[in-house]
Amino acid sequence: MSQAGPSSGERIVRVATALASAAPVPWVSAVVTIIQEIHGLIVRIKQVKPQCKQLAEDAQQIFDELQKHEELHPGDSKIADLVQLLRLRLIGIRTDLKRWAKFNKWLMYFKHEDVLNRIRFHREQLLALINRLTFKGVLIHDVESARLQKTVETIGVDMEEMRLLLEKDSKATEAVRE
């Protein structure tokens, strides 16, 4: 029986760790550490794992964009505020993931809607950061901007799907209560 290869999250963490150790940029290692912790916590969460993975992928994408910009324009002052915002967003995500990782399946069942709302909040915050990246002109290539726009559209579609699923779940719950 062959062993399965590393997951995409594990590969992202390995690559990010390698970049952090090689990069002279001081903020990279701090952000990479938080992203590593987030990926580690996602493994322990069962019920909302796909949504949490998407949250981690969004954060990773913003990190990658910030790092690219830093490599192209070392010491750019525009990046400092965005890095601090990303770090704060990641700390908030990590805090929630730590709490959710402790939930047993029954507590997660009763808190499921609250957890999904919190995930939605975090994704909206990351989306706002993506918009701020684009607005501040941090992204200098049209190709990168188009790729972020596609991500923004995907996030919007995902959130609409999540809203529909929540409505469906709410109706099912109400039907069971009646």
Side-chain angles (χ1 to χ4, degrees), residues 74-136:
D76 187 347
S77 61
K78 292 180 189 176
I79 209 80
D81 290 340
L82 297 173
V83 169
Q84 185 62 19
L85 277 174
L86 175 62
R87 195 174 142 280
L88 291 172
R89 302 287 188 259
L90 292 175
I91 290 170
I93 291 168
R94 180 184 62 189
T95 302
D96 281 345
L97 289 174
K98 281 181 179 179
R99 192 175 70 232
W100 301 336
K102 294 177 186 175
F103 284 6
N104 63 29
K105 70 179 180 179
W106 297 110
L107 186 55
M108 183 58 86
Y109 174 78
F110 288 112
K111 299 271 187 177
H112 188 76
E113 193 168 325
D114 294 335
V115 169
L116 289 178
N117 285 334
R118 192 71 183 154
I119 290 171
R120 185 179 313 117
F121 168 78
H122 286 305
R123 291 200 71 202
E124 288 171 355
Q125 293 295 313
L126 291 174
L127 175 61
L129 193 53
I130 289 171
N131 287 336
R132 188 166 177 187
L133 277 168
T134 305
F135 180 74
K136 282 202 166 232

Short mmCIF file of all heavy atoms in Angstrom, two decimals, residues 74-136:
data_model
loop_
_atom_site.label_atom_id
_atom_site.label_comp_id
_atom_site.label_asym_id
_atom_site.label_seq_id
_atom_site.Cartn_x
_atom_site.Cartn_y
_atom_site.Cartn_z
N PRO A 74 11.82 46.49 -2.52
CA PRO A 74 12.21 46.33 -1.11
C PRO A 74 12.08 47.64 -0.35
O PRO A 74 12.41 48.71 -0.86
CB PRO A 74 13.66 45.88 -1.18
CG PRO A 74 14.01 45.71 -2.60
CD PRO A 74 12.88 46.20 -3.45
N GLY A 75 11.56 47.54 0.87
CA GLY A 75 11.46 48.71 1.73
C GLY A 75 10.32 49.66 1.40
O GLY A 75 10.26 50.75 1.95
N ASP A 76 9.39 49.28 0.53
CA ASP A 76 8.26 50.14 0.17
C ASP A 76 7.40 50.38 1.41
O ASP A 76 6.97 49.45 2.08
CB ASP A 76 7.44 49.47 -0.93
CG ASP A 76 6.35 50.38 -1.48
OD1 ASP A 76 6.05 51.42 -0.86
OD2 ASP A 76 5.80 50.03 -2.54
N SER A 77 7.16 51.63 1.74
CA SER A 77 6.41 51.96 2.94
C SER A 77 4.93 51.58 2.84
O SER A 77 4.27 51.39 3.87
CB SER A 77 6.54 53.45 3.24
OG SER A 77 6.01 54.21 2.17
N LYS A 78 4.39 51.47 1.64
CA LYS A 78 2.98 51.10 1.48
C LYS A 78 2.70 49.71 2.04
O LYS A 78 1.59 49.42 2.46
CB LYS A 78 2.58 51.09 0.00
CG LYS A 78 2.55 52.41 -0.68
CD LYS A 78 2.15 52.20 -2.13
CE LYS A 78 2.30 53.44 -2.95
NZ LYS A 78 1.99 53.20 -4.36
N ILE A 79 3.70 48.88 2.01
CA ILE A 79 3.50 47.49 2.37
C ILE A 79 3.36 47.30 3.89
O ILE A 79 2.70 46.38 4.34
CB ILE A 79 4.65 46.64 1.79
CG1 ILE A 79 4.20 45.20 1.49
CG2 ILE A 79 5.82 46.55 2.70
CD1 ILE A 79 3.48 45.07 0.24
N ALA A 80 3.93 48.19 4.70
CA ALA A 80 3.95 48.02 6.15
C ALA A 80 2.54 47.93 6.75
O ALA A 80 2.26 47.05 7.56
CB ALA A 80 4.73 49.15 6.80
N ASP A 81 1.65 48.85 6.35
CA ASP A 81 0.28 48.82 6.86
C ASP A 81 -0.45 47.55 6.45
O ASP A 81 -1.17 46.95 7.25
CB ASP A 81 -0.52 50.02 6.36
CG ASP A 81 -0.05 51.32 6.97
OD1 ASP A 81 0.60 51.27 8.04
OD2 ASP A 81 -0.35 52.38 6.39
N LEU A 82 -0.24 47.14 5.21
CA LEU A 82 -0.91 45.95 4.71
C LEU A 82 -0.40 44.69 5.40
O LEU A 82 -1.18 43.79 5.72
CB LEU A 82 -0.75 45.84 3.20
CG LEU A 82 -1.38 46.99 2.41
CD1 LEU A 82 -1.01 46.89 0.94
CD2 LEU A 82 -2.87 47.01 2.59
N VAL A 83 0.88 44.64 5.67
CA VAL A 83 1.44 43.50 6.38
C VAL A 83 0.86 43.43 7.79
O VAL A 83 0.49 42.36 8.27
CB VAL A 83 2.98 43.59 6.43
CG1 VAL A 83 3.57 42.58 7.39
CG2 VAL A 83 3.56 43.40 5.04
N GLN A 84 0.78 44.56 8.45
CA GLN A 84 0.23 44.59 9.82
C GLN A 84 -1.24 44.15 9.80
O GLN A 84 -1.67 43.38 10.66
CB GLN A 84 0.37 45.99 10.42
CG GLN A 84 -0.08 46.08 11.86
CD GLN A 84 0.73 45.21 12.80
OE1 GLN A 84 1.85 44.79 12.50
NE2 GLN A 84 0.15 44.91 13.94
N LEU A 85 -2.00 44.62 8.83
CA LEU A 85 -3.40 44.18 8.72
C LEU A 85 -3.51 42.68 8.47
O LEU A 85 -4.33 42.01 9.09
CB LEU A 85 -4.10 44.94 7.58
CG LEU A 85 -4.63 46.32 7.93
CD1 LEU A 85 -5.15 47.01 6.67
CD2 LEU A 85 -5.72 46.24 8.97
N LEU A 86 -2.69 42.18 7.57
CA LEU A 86 -2.71 40.74 7.30
C LEU A 86 -2.37 39.96 8.56
O LEU A 86 -3.03 38.98 8.90
CB LEU A 86 -1.74 40.38 6.17
CG LEU A 86 -1.60 38.87 5.89
CD1 LEU A 86 -2.93 38.27 5.44
CD2 LEU A 86 -0.52 38.62 4.84
N ARG A 87 -1.35 40.39 9.26
CA ARG A 87 -0.95 39.72 10.50
C ARG A 87 -2.09 39.71 11.51
O ARG A 87 -2.38 38.68 12.12
CB ARG A 87 0.30 40.41 11.07
CG ARG A 87 1.01 39.60 12.11
CD ARG A 87 2.32 40.31 12.51
NE ARG A 87 2.50 40.15 13.92
CZ ARG A 87 1.91 40.86 14.88
NH1 ARG A 87 1.10 41.83 14.59
NH2 ARG A 87 2.14 40.61 16.15
N LEU A 88 -2.75 40.83 11.67
CA LEU A 88 -3.88 40.90 12.61
C LEU A 88 -5.03 39.99 12.17
O LEU A 88 -5.65 39.31 13.00
CB LEU A 88 -4.37 42.34 12.76
CG LEU A 88 -3.41 43.29 13.47
CD1 LEU A 88 -3.92 44.72 13.39
CD2 LEU A 88 -3.19 42.86 14.91
N ARG A 89 -5.32 39.97 10.86
CA ARG A 89 -6.38 39.09 10.35
C ARG A 89 -6.03 37.63 10.61
O ARG A 89 -6.87 36.83 11.00
CB ARG A 89 -6.59 39.29 8.85
CG ARG A 89 -6.95 40.69 8.41
CD ARG A 89 -8.37 41.07 8.78
NE ARG A 89 -8.73 42.34 8.19
CZ ARG A 89 -8.73 43.49 8.86
NH1 ARG A 89 -8.41 43.53 10.11
NH2 ARG A 89 -9.09 44.61 8.25
N LEU A 90 -4.77 37.29 10.37
CA LEU A 90 -4.33 35.91 10.57
C LEU A 90 -4.39 35.51 12.05
O LEU A 90 -4.78 34.39 12.38
CB LEU A 90 -2.91 35.71 10.04
CG LEU A 90 -2.75 35.78 8.52
CD1 LEU A 90 -1.28 35.69 8.14
CD2 LEU A 90 -3.57 34.72 7.82
N ILE A 91 -4.06 36.43 12.93
CA ILE A 91 -4.15 36.15 14.37
C ILE A 91 -5.61 35.90 14.76
O ILE A 91 -5.92 34.99 15.53
CB ILE A 91 -3.52 37.28 15.20
CG1 ILE A 91 -2.00 37.26 15.02
CG2 ILE A 91 -3.89 37.17 16.67
CD1 ILE A 91 -1.28 38.47 15.58
N GLY A 92 -6.54 36.69 14.20
CA GLY A 92 -7.96 36.47 14.46
C GLY A 92 -8.43 35.12 13.96
O GLY A 92 -9.18 34.42 14.65
N ILE A 93 -7.99 34.76 12.77
CA ILE A 93 -8.36 33.46 12.20
C ILE A 93 -7.80 32.35 13.07
O ILE A 93 -8.49 31.39 13.42
CB ILE A 93 -7.86 33.34 10.74
CG1 ILE A 93 -8.63 34.29 9.84
CG2 ILE A 93 -7.98 31.90 10.25
CD1 ILE A 93 -8.03 34.45 8.44
N ARG A 94 -6.53 32.46 13.44
CA ARG A 94 -5.89 31.44 14.28
C ARG A 94 -6.62 31.30 15.62
O ARG A 94 -6.85 30.17 16.08
CB ARG A 94 -4.43 31.81 14.51
CG ARG A 94 -3.68 30.79 15.38
CD ARG A 94 -2.28 31.23 15.67
NE ARG A 94 -2.29 32.47 16.42
CZ ARG A 94 -1.21 33.20 16.67
NH1 ARG A 94 -0.04 32.83 16.20
NH2 ARG A 94 -1.29 34.31 17.36
N THR A 95 -7.02 32.39 16.22
CA THR A 95 -7.73 32.35 17.50
C THR A 95 -9.04 31.58 17.36
O THR A 95 -9.36 30.72 18.19
CB THR A 95 -8.00 33.79 18.01
OG1 THR A 95 -6.75 34.46 18.13
CG2 THR A 95 -8.74 33.78 19.32
N ASP A 96 -9.80 31.89 16.33
CA ASP A 96 -11.06 31.17 16.12
C ASP A 96 -10.83 29.69 15.82
O ASP A 96 -11.53 28.83 16.34
CB ASP A 96 -11.87 31.80 14.98
CG ASP A 96 -12.61 33.05 15.42
OD1 ASP A 96 -12.74 33.28 16.65
OD2 ASP A 96 -13.05 33.81 14.54
N LEU A 97 -9.83 29.38 15.02
CA LEU A 97 -9.54 27.98 14.69
C LEU A 97 -9.14 27.20 15.94
O LEU A 97 -9.52 26.03 16.09
CB LEU A 97 -8.45 27.88 13.62
CG LEU A 97 -8.85 28.31 12.22
CD1 LEU A 97 -7.64 28.31 11.30
CD2 LEU A 97 -9.95 27.43 11.65
N LYS A 98 -8.38 27.82 16.83
CA LYS A 98 -8.00 27.15 18.08
C LYS A 98 -9.25 26.79 18.88
O LYS A 98 -9.35 25.69 19.44
CB LYS A 98 -7.09 28.04 18.92
CG LYS A 98 -5.67 28.07 18.46
CD LYS A 98 -4.83 28.96 19.37
CE LYS A 98 -3.39 29.00 18.95
NZ LYS A 98 -2.58 29.89 19.81
N ARG A 99 -10.18 27.72 18.94
CA ARG A 99 -11.42 27.48 19.69
C ARG A 99 -12.24 26.38 19.02
O ARG A 99 -12.72 25.46 19.68
CB ARG A 99 -12.22 28.78 19.79
CG ARG A 99 -13.37 28.68 20.77
CD ARG A 99 -14.10 29.98 20.97
NE ARG A 99 -14.84 30.29 19.75
CZ ARG A 99 -14.76 31.44 19.10
NH1 ARG A 99 -14.03 32.41 19.54
NH2 ARG A 99 -15.45 31.64 17.99
N TRP A 100 -12.37 26.44 17.69
CA TRP A 100 -13.18 25.44 16.98
C TRP A 100 -12.55 24.06 17.02
O TRP A 100 -13.25 23.05 17.01
CB TRP A 100 -13.41 25.86 15.53
CG TRP A 100 -14.11 27.18 15.39
CD1 TRP A 100 -14.93 27.78 16.29
CD2 TRP A 100 -14.02 28.08 14.29
NE1 TRP A 100 -15.36 29.00 15.82
CE2 TRP A 100 -14.82 29.21 14.58
CE3 TRP A 100 -13.34 28.05 13.08
CZ2 TRP A 100 -14.98 30.27 13.72
CZ3 TRP A 100 -13.49 29.11 12.20
CH2 TRP A 100 -14.30 30.21 12.53
N ALA A 101 -11.22 24.00 17.06
CA ALA A 101 -10.54 22.70 17.11
C ALA A 101 -10.87 21.96 18.41
O ALA A 101 -10.79 20.74 18.47
CB ALA A 101 -9.04 22.89 16.97
N LYS A 102 -11.25 22.70 19.44
CA LYS A 102 -11.61 22.09 20.73
C LYS A 102 -13.07 21.62 20.76
O LYS A 102 -13.46 20.90 21.68
CB LYS A 102 -11.38 23.09 21.86
CG LYS A 102 -9.93 23.44 22.06
CD LYS A 102 -9.77 24.48 23.14
CE LYS A 102 -8.33 24.94 23.25
NZ LYS A 102 -8.19 26.03 24.22
N PHE A 103 -13.88 22.02 19.80
CA PHE A 103 -15.29 21.64 19.78
C PHE A 103 -15.43 20.15 19.51
O PHE A 103 -14.79 19.62 18.61
CB PHE A 103 -16.05 22.39 18.67
CG PHE A 103 -16.37 23.83 18.97
CD1 PHE A 103 -15.90 24.48 20.09
CD2 PHE A 103 -17.13 24.56 18.08
CE1 PHE A 103 -16.18 25.81 20.34
CE2 PHE A 103 -17.45 25.89 18.32
CZ PHE A 103 -16.96 26.51 19.46
N ASN A 104 -16.30 19.50 20.27
CA ASN A 104 -16.66 18.13 19.90
C ASN A 104 -17.75 18.21 18.84
O ASN A 104 -18.23 19.30 18.50
CB ASN A 104 -17.10 17.32 21.14
CG ASN A 104 -18.34 17.89 21.80
OD1 ASN A 104 -19.20 18.49 21.15
ND2 ASN A 104 -18.45 17.70 23.09
N LYS A 105 -18.15 17.08 18.29
CA LYS A 105 -19.10 17.13 17.16
C LYS A 105 -20.45 17.71 17.57
O LYS A 105 -21.10 18.34 16.76
CB LYS A 105 -19.25 15.76 16.51
CG LYS A 105 -19.97 14.73 17.30
CD LYS A 105 -20.07 13.44 16.50
CE LYS A 105 -20.79 12.38 17.29
NZ LYS A 105 -20.92 11.15 16.54
N TRP A 106 -20.85 17.52 18.81
CA TRP A 106 -22.16 18.05 19.23
C TRP A 106 -22.11 19.57 19.39
O TRP A 106 -23.03 20.26 18.98
CB TRP A 106 -22.62 17.39 20.53
CG TRP A 106 -22.82 15.93 20.33
CD1 TRP A 106 -22.06 14.92 20.84
CD2 TRP A 106 -23.81 15.31 19.51
NE1 TRP A 106 -22.52 13.71 20.40
CE2 TRP A 106 -23.60 13.92 19.58
CE3 TRP A 106 -24.85 15.78 18.72
CZ2 TRP A 106 -24.40 13.01 18.91
CZ3 TRP A 106 -25.63 14.88 18.05
CH2 TRP A 106 -25.42 13.52 18.14
N LEU A 107 -21.04 20.05 19.98
CA LEU A 107 -20.91 21.50 20.14
C LEU A 107 -20.80 22.16 18.76
O LEU A 107 -21.41 23.20 18.51
CB LEU A 107 -19.69 21.84 20.99
CG LEU A 107 -19.51 23.30 21.35
CD1 LEU A 107 -20.74 23.88 22.04
CD2 LEU A 107 -18.28 23.48 22.22
N MET A 108 -20.06 21.52 17.85
CA MET A 108 -19.95 22.06 16.50
C MET A 108 -21.32 22.05 15.82
O MET A 108 -21.65 22.97 15.08
CB MET A 108 -18.93 21.27 15.67
CG MET A 108 -18.71 21.83 14.27
SD MET A 108 -18.17 23.55 14.19
CE MET A 108 -16.42 23.34 14.36
N TYR A 109 -22.11 21.02 16.08
CA TYR A 109 -23.45 20.96 15.49
C TYR A 109 -24.29 22.15 15.95
O TYR A 109 -24.95 22.80 15.14
CB TYR A 109 -24.13 19.64 15.88
CG TYR A 109 -25.57 19.57 15.43
CD1 TYR A 109 -25.88 19.28 14.11
CD2 TYR A 109 -26.61 19.82 16.32
CE1 TYR A 109 -27.19 19.24 13.68
CE2 TYR A 109 -27.93 19.76 15.89
CZ TYR A 109 -28.22 19.48 14.57
OH TYR A 109 -29.52 19.43 14.15
N PHE A 110 -24.25 22.44 17.24
CA PHE A 110 -25.06 23.53 17.77
C PHE A 110 -24.49 24.91 17.41
O PHE A 110 -25.22 25.88 17.31
CB PHE A 110 -25.21 23.41 19.29
CG PHE A 110 -26.11 22.27 19.68
CD1 PHE A 110 -25.60 21.16 20.32
CD2 PHE A 110 -27.47 22.30 19.39
CE1 PHE A 110 -26.42 20.10 20.67
CE2 PHE A 110 -28.30 21.26 19.73
CZ PHE A 110 -27.78 20.15 20.36
N LYS A 111 -23.19 25.00 17.21
CA LYS A 111 -22.55 26.27 16.89
C LYS A 111 -22.26 26.41 15.40
O LYS A 111 -21.63 27.39 14.99
CB LYS A 111 -21.22 26.39 17.65
CG LYS A 111 -21.35 26.37 19.14
CD LYS A 111 -21.56 27.75 19.63
CE LYS A 111 -21.51 27.78 21.15
NZ LYS A 111 -21.64 29.10 21.66
N HIS A 112 -22.71 25.46 14.60
CA HIS A 112 -22.36 25.42 13.18
C HIS A 112 -22.67 26.74 12.45
O HIS A 112 -21.82 27.26 11.73
CB HIS A 112 -23.10 24.25 12.50
CG HIS A 112 -22.66 24.00 11.10
ND1 HIS A 112 -21.47 23.37 10.80
CD2 HIS A 112 -23.22 24.31 9.91
CE1 HIS A 112 -21.34 23.29 9.51
NE2 HIS A 112 -22.39 23.86 8.93
N GLU A 113 -23.84 27.27 12.67
CA GLU A 113 -24.21 28.51 11.98
C GLU A 113 -23.33 29.68 12.43
O GLU A 113 -22.90 30.50 11.62
CB GLU A 113 -25.68 28.83 12.22
CG GLU A 113 -26.21 29.90 11.29
CD GLU A 113 -27.72 30.02 11.33
OE1 GLU A 113 -28.40 28.99 11.48
OE2 GLU A 113 -28.19 31.15 11.21
N ASP A 114 -23.03 29.74 13.73
CA ASP A 114 -22.14 30.79 14.24
C ASP A 114 -20.74 30.67 13.65
O ASP A 114 -20.11 31.66 13.29
CB ASP A 114 -22.06 30.73 15.77
CG ASP A 114 -23.38 31.07 16.44
OD1 ASP A 114 -24.20 31.79 15.82
OD2 ASP A 114 -23.59 30.61 17.57
N VAL A 115 -20.27 29.42 13.55
CA VAL A 115 -18.95 29.19 12.98
C VAL A 115 -18.92 29.62 11.52
O VAL A 115 -17.98 30.30 11.08
CB VAL A 115 -18.54 27.70 13.14
CG1 VAL A 115 -17.29 27.39 12.34
CG2 VAL A 115 -18.33 27.37 14.62
N LEU A 116 -19.94 29.25 10.77
CA LEU A 116 -20.00 29.65 9.35
C LEU A 116 -20.07 31.17 9.21
O LEU A 116 -19.43 31.73 8.31
CB LEU A 116 -21.18 28.99 8.64
CG LEU A 116 -21.06 27.49 8.41
CD1 LEU A 116 -22.32 26.95 7.75
CD2 LEU A 116 -19.84 27.15 7.57
N ASN A 117 -20.81 31.82 10.08
CA ASN A 117 -20.86 33.28 10.04
C ASN A 117 -19.50 33.89 10.34
O ASN A 117 -19.09 34.87 9.72
CB ASN A 117 -21.90 33.81 11.03
CG ASN A 117 -23.31 33.61 10.54
OD1 ASN A 117 -23.56 33.51 9.35
ND2 ASN A 117 -24.24 33.50 11.48
N ARG A 118 -18.79 33.30 11.27
CA ARG A 118 -17.45 33.81 11.61
C ARG A 118 -16.48 33.58 10.46
O ARG A 118 -15.65 34.45 10.16
CB ARG A 118 -16.97 33.13 12.89
CG ARG A 118 -15.78 33.74 13.49
CD ARG A 118 -16.08 35.09 14.10
NE ARG A 118 -14.81 35.61 14.59
CZ ARG A 118 -14.54 36.87 14.74
NH1 ARG A 118 -15.45 37.78 14.48
NH2 ARG A 118 -13.38 37.26 15.18
N ILE A 119 -16.58 32.43 9.80
CA ILE A 119 -15.75 32.17 8.63
C ILE A 119 -16.05 33.19 7.55
O ILE A 119 -15.16 33.74 6.91
CB ILE A 119 -15.94 30.72 8.12
CG1 ILE A 119 -15.34 29.72 9.10
CG2 ILE A 119 -15.33 30.55 6.73
CD1 ILE A 119 -15.68 28.28 8.80
N ARG A 120 -17.34 33.47 7.35
CA ARG A 120 -17.74 34.47 6.37
C ARG A 120 -17.14 35.83 6.72
O ARG A 120 -16.64 36.53 5.85
CB ARG A 120 -19.27 34.57 6.31
CG ARG A 120 -19.76 35.50 5.22
CD ARG A 120 -21.27 35.60 5.11
NE ARG A 120 -21.92 34.31 5.12
CZ ARG A 120 -22.77 33.90 6.08
NH1 ARG A 120 -23.07 34.69 7.08
NH2 ARG A 120 -23.32 32.71 6.02
N PHE A 121 -17.17 36.18 8.00
CA PHE A 121 -16.58 37.44 8.45
C PHE A 121 -15.09 37.50 8.11
O PHE A 121 -14.60 38.49 7.57
CB PHE A 121 -16.78 37.61 9.96
CG PHE A 121 -15.97 38.72 10.55
CD1 PHE A 121 -16.37 40.05 10.40
CD2 PHE A 121 -14.79 38.46 11.25
CE1 PHE A 121 -15.62 41.08 10.93
CE2 PHE A 121 -14.03 39.49 11.78
CZ PHE A 121 -14.46 40.80 11.62
N HIS A 122 -14.37 36.42 8.41
CA HIS A 122 -12.93 36.40 8.11
C HIS A 122 -12.67 36.51 6.61
O HIS A 122 -11.75 37.21 6.18
CB HIS A 122 -12.28 35.13 8.66
CG HIS A 122 -12.11 35.13 10.14
ND1 HIS A 122 -11.44 36.11 10.82
CD2 HIS A 122 -12.52 34.25 11.08
CE1 HIS A 122 -11.45 35.85 12.11
NE2 HIS A 122 -12.10 34.72 12.29
N ARG A 123 -13.48 35.83 5.82
CA ARG A 123 -13.29 35.91 4.36
C ARG A 123 -13.58 37.32 3.86
O ARG A 123 -12.89 37.81 2.97
CB ARG A 123 -14.18 34.89 3.65
CG ARG A 123 -13.65 33.47 3.95
CD ARG A 123 -14.09 32.44 3.01
NE ARG A 123 -13.45 32.61 1.72
CZ ARG A 123 -13.95 32.12 0.60
NH1 ARG A 123 -15.06 31.43 0.62
NH2 ARG A 123 -13.33 32.28 -0.54
N GLU A 124 -14.59 37.97 4.42
CA GLU A 124 -14.88 39.36 4.03
C GLU A 124 -13.71 40.27 4.39
O GLU A 124 -13.36 41.18 3.63
CB GLU A 124 -16.16 39.84 4.70
CG GLU A 124 -17.41 39.21 4.12
CD GLU A 124 -18.68 39.52 4.92
OE1 GLU A 124 -18.58 40.15 6.01
OE2 GLU A 124 -19.75 39.10 4.49
N GLN A 125 -13.10 40.03 5.56
CA GLN A 125 -11.95 40.83 5.97
C GLN A 125 -10.78 40.62 5.01
O GLN A 125 -10.09 41.58 4.65
CB GLN A 125 -11.54 40.47 7.40
CG GLN A 125 -12.55 40.86 8.44
CD GLN A 125 -12.74 42.36 8.52
OE1 GLN A 125 -11.77 43.11 8.58
NE2 GLN A 125 -13.97 42.81 8.52
N LEU A 126 -10.55 39.38 4.61
CA LEU A 126 -9.48 39.10 3.65
C LEU A 126 -9.80 39.71 2.29
O LEU A 126 -8.92 40.23 1.61
CB LEU A 126 -9.23 37.60 3.54
CG LEU A 126 -8.62 36.94 4.77
CD1 LEU A 126 -8.55 35.43 4.58
CD2 LEU A 126 -7.26 37.51 5.10
N LEU A 127 -11.07 39.66 1.91
CA LEU A 127 -11.49 40.29 0.65
C LEU A 127 -11.23 41.79 0.69
O LEU A 127 -10.75 42.38 -0.28
CB LEU A 127 -12.97 40.00 0.39
CG LEU A 127 -13.60 40.67 -0.82
CD1 LEU A 127 -12.91 40.22 -2.10
CD2 LEU A 127 -15.08 40.36 -0.88
N ALA A 128 -11.53 42.41 1.82
CA ALA A 128 -11.27 43.85 1.97
C ALA A 128 -9.78 44.13 1.84
O ALA A 128 -9.37 45.14 1.25
CB ALA A 128 -11.79 44.34 3.32
N LEU A 129 -8.96 43.23 2.36
CA LEU A 129 -7.52 43.41 2.24
C LEU A 129 -7.07 43.25 0.79
O LEU A 129 -6.22 44.00 0.31
CB LEU A 129 -6.79 42.40 3.13
CG LEU A 129 -5.32 42.62 3.37
CD1 LEU A 129 -5.02 44.03 3.88
CD2 LEU A 129 -4.79 41.60 4.35
N ILE A 130 -7.67 42.31 0.08
CA ILE A 130 -7.38 42.15 -1.35
C ILE A 130 -7.77 43.43 -2.09
O ILE A 130 -7.01 43.94 -2.91
CB ILE A 130 -8.13 40.93 -1.95
CG1 ILE A 130 -7.52 39.63 -1.43
CG2 ILE A 130 -8.07 40.96 -3.48
CD1 ILE A 130 -8.31 38.40 -1.79
N ASN A 131 -8.95 43.96 -1.78
CA ASN A 131 -9.38 45.21 -2.41
C ASN A 131 -8.42 46.36 -2.08
O ASN A 131 -8.12 47.18 -2.93
CB ASN A 131 -10.80 45.57 -1.98
CG ASN A 131 -11.83 44.66 -2.61
OD1 ASN A 131 -11.59 44.07 -3.66
ND2 ASN A 131 -12.96 44.52 -1.96
N ARG A 132 -7.96 46.38 -0.86
CA ARG A 132 -7.04 47.44 -0.46
C ARG A 132 -5.71 47.29 -1.19
O ARG A 132 -5.10 48.30 -1.58
CB ARG A 132 -6.83 47.39 1.05
CG ARG A 132 -6.05 48.55 1.56
CD ARG A 132 -6.14 48.67 3.04
NE ARG A 132 -5.31 49.78 3.45
CZ ARG A 132 -5.06 50.09 4.69
NH1 ARG A 132 -5.61 49.38 5.64
NH2 ARG A 132 -4.30 51.09 4.99
N LEU A 133 -5.27 46.05 -1.37
CA LEU A 133 -4.04 45.81 -2.15
C LEU A 133 -4.19 46.40 -3.54
O LEU A 133 -3.32 47.09 -4.04
CB LEU A 133 -3.78 44.31 -2.29
CG LEU A 133 -3.09 43.60 -1.14
CD1 LEU A 133 -3.20 42.10 -1.34
CD2 LEU A 133 -1.65 44.02 -1.07
N THR A 134 -5.33 46.12 -4.17
CA THR A 134 -5.58 46.59 -5.52
C THR A 134 -5.72 48.12 -5.54
O THR A 134 -5.15 48.80 -6.37
CB THR A 134 -6.85 45.93 -6.08
OG1 THR A 134 -6.70 44.52 -5.99
CG2 THR A 134 -7.07 46.31 -7.52
N PHE A 135 -6.48 48.66 -4.59
CA PHE A 135 -6.74 50.09 -4.54
C PHE A 135 -5.48 50.89 -4.31
O PHE A 135 -5.25 51.92 -4.93
CB PHE A 135 -7.76 50.40 -3.43
CG PHE A 135 -8.08 51.85 -3.30
CD1 PHE A 135 -8.89 52.47 -4.25
CD2 PHE A 135 -7.57 52.60 -2.27
CE1 PHE A 135 -9.18 53.82 -4.15
CE2 PHE A 135 -7.86 53.94 -2.17
CZ PHE A 135 -8.67 54.55 -3.10
N LYS A 136 -4.63 50.45 -3.40
CA LYS A 136 -3.42 51.20 -3.08
C LYS A 136 -2.38 51.12 -4.17
O LYS A 136 -1.35 51.76 -4.09
CB LYS A 136 -2.82 50.70 -1.76
CG LYS A 136 -3.54 51.21 -0.57
CD LYS A 136 -2.63 51.13 0.62
CE LYS A 136 -3.23 51.95 1.74
NZ LYS A 136 -2.36 52.88 2.30
#
